[in-house]
Amino acid sequence: LKILTSGIPTLSIDYKGHKQIIIESPTDGYYYQVIYNKLFQSKDISSKLYFIASGGYGRGSCEQVRKICNDFREAGTESVFGIIDWDARNSEDRFVKVHGEANRYSLENYLLDPIYLICLFMINDSENVRRDLALDKSYNEYSIGEQPTDVLQSYIKWFFDKIYCSSPFRSYKSKDIERLSVKFHNGVQYSLPSWYVKFSGHDLSEKLKTTFT
């Protein structure tokens, strides 16, 4: 074996840059993996991250994430961290980070961002979005993030004007004045009603399904 492998450079693997990230569910894992892939491709992050669900679909929890992370740490594995939703109550510690702490209730509140939903409406050619926003069919919906803040803000106004006319959201119109500024990795920034970003993500999803049917 020594003779056969002579001349072959020794393979050295550095595991210091490898991190295991405990998350709540497989769905969360897909979400974080997509973000990580984009950041890794643009060299905005150098570590190799591996996302591991604390439970199956609907069975994971922030408590499980904390326990698994702590168990690994107590066993001497220092490369394990955790990510959990804020859920209007969680706070981060040294090894478990809270996604959107004090800014968005849960992961769903990011996915249900009005700009993302408007992009989805354009893809599906629904809700008369192109007509109402004066966007012709040649407009590339994936370039929406390149629009100036004032334009994005006008799109957001269209979205909320629409949902405030539906029964699930009519009572929230009076809360629209209280706003929260949100900023993205690429520098894009705009404001959203605080109630929307801090509303239970699951319940928000159900109300939106009722509105856009």
Side-chain angles (χ1 to χ4, degrees), residues 198-210:
K198 296 181 179 180
F199 202 92
S200 167
H202 175 75
D203 294 341
L204 180 62
S205 175
E206 292 304 311
K207 285 179 177 289
L208 287 169
K209 287 177 185 177
T210 302

Side-chain angles (χ1 to χ4, degrees), residues 3-183:
I3 295 173
L4 291 173
T5 57
S6 63
I8 300 177
T10 303
L11 179 63
S12 177
I13 302 175
D14 179 13
Y15 289 101
K16 291 180 181 179
H18 293 239
K19 313 292 182 186
Q20 296 78 43
I21 313 299
I22 311 301
I23 39 90
E24 295 184 47
S25 74
T27 302
D28 292 13
Y30 178 77
Y31 168 83
Y32 290 120
Q33 189 67 54
V34 169
I35 295 174
Y36 167 73
N37 290 344
K38 296 294 290 185
L39 294 176
F40 191 78
Q41 288 169 10
S42 61
K43 303 187 185 302
D44 288 332
I45 187 170
S46 57
S47 297
K48 291 286 290 182
L49 305 183
Y50 304 91
F51 298 98
I52 304 166
S54 65
Y57 292 98
R59 294 196 298 272
S61 68
C62 57
E63 290 79 13
Q64 285 179 261
V65 171
R66 289 190 189 277
K67 184 180 186 307
I68 294 171
C69 185
N70 289 336
D71 287 348
F72 271 107
R73 285 274 167 179
E74 289 174 3
T77 306
E78 298 181 353
S79 60
V80 174
F81 295 84
I83 304 177
I84 59 177
D85 287 337
W86 175 43
D87 292 341
R89 68 176 187 274
N90 291 320
S91 58
E92 69 178 32
D93 57 35
R94 188 177 174 188
F95 305 116
V96 176
K97 306 303 177 183
V98 176
H99 182 42
E101 184 173 3
N103 286 308
R104 303 215 193 195
Y105 189 94
S106 66
L107 181 152
E108 286 88 348
N109 297 78
Y110 283 93
L111 296 175
L112 297 173
D113 186 287
I115 293 299
Y116 294 167
L117 293 180
I118 289 170
C119 182
L120 180 63
F121 295 156
M122 284 192 278
I123 292 171
N124 294 333
D125 196 23
S126 62
E127 303 301 326
N128 295 316
V129 62
R130 290 183 182 271
R131 183 200 66 188
D132 292 352
L133 299 181
L135 299 170
D136 61 40
K137 290 191 175 182
S138 65
Y139 178 78
N140 183 357
E141 57 272 9
Y142 296 110
S143 65
I144 193 170
E146 300 170 7
Q147 295 280 19
T149 299
D150 60 331
V151 174
L152 292 175
Q153 208 67 64
S154 70
Y155 294 171
I156 291 167
K157 182 180 183 303
W158 171 86
F159 175 84
F160 283 101
D161 285 347
K162 200 171 187 66
I163 69 170
Y164 288 148
C165 290
S166 66
S167 56
F169 293 105
R170 195 166 290 130
S171 62
Y172 294 94
K173 186 174 183 178
S174 61
K175 301 179 181 180
D176 189 83
I177 191 170
E178 185 181 343
R179 293 266 168 158
L180 183 71
S181 179
V182 298
K183 187 175 182 179

